Amino acid sequence: MLKNMKWIIPDYVDQLQLKRFTTLIGDRVSINLRSNHLALGDNLLFFNPVQRHLSKDGYLDYQTPSRLTNDNDIMWNRRVWAGGEMQMFKPLQIGQQYYCQEKIKFLKKIGNNYYVGIERSISHSKEQRSLQELRTLVYTSSLVRGVFNEVKTPGKPIGIFKFCDLDIIMYGQLTLNPHRVHWDKNYTQDIEGYKNIIVQGPFAVQVLMAFAESFFAKPLKRVSYKNLNVIYPETEMEICAYHNYIYMRDKYSHNIIYVSAQCFFE
């Protein structure tokens, strides 16, 4: 049944949308703004569905395990963008309309958590796939845990970054993301148990990809990433690189990794 669930999201790849993102980031990251196509990661600015039917957390209801299985007994308190993969087959051209076909790749229950894999295929025509993406969201009723410490990872710092609360709110507006944990501090603290609003998973990934392309100085072909810890506003982070890995770590506690990615190039 899940394999038959598909949605089509059309969008126009607009230079203005990309310029809004670069204006938001400012000079904190060196972004190579291309005149004719998107870099891998910039696709996250596009193909964001607008739905009137939202869950209690303000985000898309049709992706929840309860809606996918028509089982209202499935309970969850919060959802987390846990990780994903992106692969570029052909760069998305600015000024072109594309179609994103979204379908459910898997739904798994592990312990008390539900993992939903969302596969997205972006193409200009039915015969020509330009980009493939997999997103993994976790639905859980568990309490917000403390910081997850990774084993100290090798690598040298290549930059620093810090998100402020307005960055988070404005990126949510830019990507049509109504998830309340990114703008409603009272809800985020009182209902989901976070300390503050949190940075969007795709926002952190897109910033990390901008650092990757600037540092490695070659176009990204494929990336596999994990969101390991939530990022609060004003968290000071270092961007570090090691071989073809890049990650955000806490500036003062280096064993706290927020986002990590393995990059593959043309």
Side-chain angles (χ1 to χ4, degrees):
M1 181 180 69
L2 292 177
K3 292 182 179 180
N4 296 326
M5 293 183 174
K6 297 179 181 179
W7 301 268
I8 302 295
I9 307 165
D11 206 348
Y12 182 80
V13 176
D14 186 3
Q15 179 81 295
L16 181 59
Q17 179 79 339
L18 190 56
K19 286 184 177 179
R20 290 185 182 120
F21 174 74
T22 57
T23 299
L24 175 61
I25 296 302
D27 60 358
R28 289 176 287 177
V29 188
S30 176
I31 296 178
N32 180 18
L33 190 61
R34 294 173 173 83
S35 60
N36 61 347
H37 66 272
L38 300 183
L40 187 62
D42 291 337
N43 52 287
L44 297 169
L45 294 170
F46 301 90
F47 310 103
N48 296 300
V50 177
Q51 297 276 338
R52 292 183 61 85
H53 196 187
L54 304 175
S55 297
K56 61 183 179 179
D57 63 350
Y59 199 59
L60 304 169
D61 186 66
Y62 74 91
Q63 298 177 352
T64 64
S66 48
R67 184 64 59 189
L68 292 172
T69 59
N70 291 317
D71 184 355
N72 293 325
D73 290 333
I74 295 178
M75 305 299 292
W76 54 275
N77 188 53
R78 58 192 181 93
R79 71 178 104 193
V80 180
W81 188 310
E85 300 175 4
M86 295 182 288
Q87 183 170 3
M88 185 82 78
F89 300 103
K90 183 179 180 181
L92 301 184
Q93 299 297 309
I94 293 172
Q96 293 281 351
Q97 183 172 16
Y98 289 86
Y99 297 88
C100 173
Q101 178 178 273
E102 188 176 75
K103 65 180 182 179
I104 303 302
K105 182 73 172 178
F106 60 80
L107 193 164
K108 302 175 183 177
K109 184 180 181 184
I110 302 177
N112 294 320
N113 299 329
Y114 291 86
Y115 291 76
V116 176
I118 302 171
E119 185 179 80
R120 310 182 107 214
S121 182
I122 299 171
S123 59
H124 181 55
S125 64
K126 292 182 179 179
E127 297 79 19
Q128 196 171 44
R129 181 179 55 171
S130 297
L131 189 145
Q132 188 85 11
E133 183 183 356
L134 177 66
R135 303 174 173 184
T136 301
L137 278 67
V138 181
Y139 294 78
T140 182
S141 293
S142 65
L143 298 176
V144 175
R145 57 173 170 76
V147 173
F148 176 74
N149 292 326
E150 285 271 300
V151 176
K152 189 174 181 180
T153 306
K156 65 176 183 179
I158 62 170
I160 57 174
F161 200 86
K162 178 173 66 175
F163 296 94
C164 71
D165 54 358
L166 286 179
D167 289 335
I168 301 167
I169 293 169
M170 291 175 68
Y171 188 84
Q173 294 172 337
L174 188 61
T175 56
L176 306 176
N177 185 344
H179 198 177
R180 294 176 70 174
V181 294
H182 307 310
W183 60 270
D184 187 341
K185 186 175 181 179
N186 290 335
Y187 169 86
T188 303
Q189 292 177 325
D190 298 341
I191 304 301
E192 298 209 10
Y194 294 105
K195 297 177 183 178
N196 201 343
I197 63 173
I198 60 176
V199 174
Q200 296 91 338
F203 192 8
V205 171
Q206 190 175 358
V207 168
L208 191 62
M209 293 303 93
F211 271 104
E213 188 151 300
S214 175
F215 174 74
F216 293 115
K218 45 189 173 181
L220 294 170
K221 178 75 172 179
R222 181 165 65 91
V223 63
S224 176
Y225 64 88
K226 294 179 181 179
N227 292 306
L228 299 168
N229 281 295
V230 299
I231 305 174
Y232 292 114
E234 305 303 324
T235 299
E236 296 186 63
M237 296 178 293
E238 292 180 333
I239 315 301
C240 299
Y242 176 71
H243 292 322
N244 65 328
Y245 289 87
I246 190 166
Y247 57 93
M248 292 179 176
R249 73 182 182 190
D250 194 90
K251 183 178 179 180
Y252 304 104
S253 299
H254 292 175
N255 59 334
I256 300 176
I257 309 298
Y258 295 103
V259 187
S260 67
Q262 185 178 14
C263 303
F264 303 88
F265 307 95
E266 294 181 348

